[in-house]
Amino acid sequence: MTASPLVGREPALAELDAVLAEARAGRGRLVLVTGEAGIGKTRLAEELVRRADGFATHWAWCRTDQSMGSLRTWSSVLRNLTATVPAVAELAES
């Protein structure tokens, strides 16, 4: 199943393409996508992942009801990274 075309997000995609170019040049980045519900954040993130060929990607999201706590999302990302990226695991142990 292919994703539908992403329409009207050229400025955001240009910015994300620049982030990927920087990462390919050895300057890593963290991308946070924020905004109101229903504006296409997930679809934009899916497009970024599609363009990020060769990179590891890690997904996390926040619940609107705050039931998970404000840092729960970050702990999920860190847990995933320490399990899959040896350099991050070494940093976490030190």
Side-chain angles (χ1 to χ4, degrees), residues 3-94:
S4 59
L6 190 57
V7 178
R9 295 315 262 317
E10 290 78 13
L13 289 173
E15 188 173 341
L16 292 173
D17 285 339
V19 166
L20 286 173
E22 288 284 311
R24 286 187 175 97
R27 293 178 293 278
R29 298 284 188 246
L30 170 70
V31 175
L32 298 175
V33 180
T34 65
E36 297 298 318
I39 65 168
K41 296 178 300 292
T42 299
R43 180 64 186 90
L44 183 63
E46 289 170 345
E47 183 63 21
L48 174 60
V49 169
R50 188 186 71 75
R51 294 173 182 222
D53 184 40
F55 287 99
T57 57
H58 299 274
W59 286 83
W61 54 90
C62 299
R63 293 177 54 136
T64 57
D65 64 7
Q66 301 284 328
S67 65
M68 292 175 44
S70 60
L71 296 177
R72 184 68 177 247
T73 302
W74 289 109
S75 66
S76 172
V77 170
L78 185 58
R79 196 170 31 257
N80 191 344
L81 287 173
T82 57
T84 59
V85 181
V88 175
E90 289 175 22
L91 286 172
E93 291 173 3
S94 59

